[in-house]
Amino acid sequence: MNEDRFLGFSAERAMASSTATGGGGGGGGTVGAAAAGGGSTSRKFKLQRESELRVEVGWETPLRLQLMAGTAEVFGTELPPAFWLSFPPAFKFAVSSFACCTCGFCA
């Protein structure tokens, strides 16, 4: 199964290095109870300057996004730092960064 689909979203293109939150090395993973088949799943992405991360929320559950460091925007609106934003199931959006940023996702 595609790992990104399991997390409830699809990162189609990240012109940045992506890092899983605690999933052990090697380009991605799951965290905590989700790895055992239940609970929520989280993932962290680092975006480089002038990059974009495209996101497709899964059909079953909403997705939460938090700007952890730096500056980024969604649909031209700057994201507030350390604040969780919720996106409904089947929603598509892109996180854009003109400077470096780190974003956390939780499904």
Side-chain angles (χ1 to χ4, degrees):
M1 176 185 300
N2 184 334
E3 184 177 357
D4 290 331
R5 293 284 179 198
F6 174 75
L7 294 175
F9 64 96
S10 169
E12 292 177 356
R13 184 187 82 171
M15 296 171 55
S17 60
S18 64
T19 310
T21 310
T30 58
V31 179
S40 66
T41 305
S42 60
R43 188 154 182 187
K44 183 165 63 170
F45 287 91
K46 265 185 140 170
L47 277 70
Q48 302 296 326
R49 290 178 49 126
E50 299 180 5
S51 62
E52 177 180 74
L53 176 68
R54 294 184 183 177
V55 181
E56 291 181 13
V57 181
W59 291 97
E60 307 270 326
T61 60
L63 180 73
R64 295 184 332 146
L65 163 69
Q66 180 184 42
L67 179 65
M68 303 169 106
T71 58
E73 61 183 43
V74 172
F75 297 125
T77 302
E78 190 169 346
L79 296 174
F83 183 80
W84 285 101
L85 298 171
S86 293
F87 295 92
F91 194 72
K92 295 180 183 182
F93 64 98
V95 178
S96 302
S97 179
F98 296 105
C100 297
C101 79
T102 302
C103 294
F105 291 91
C106 183

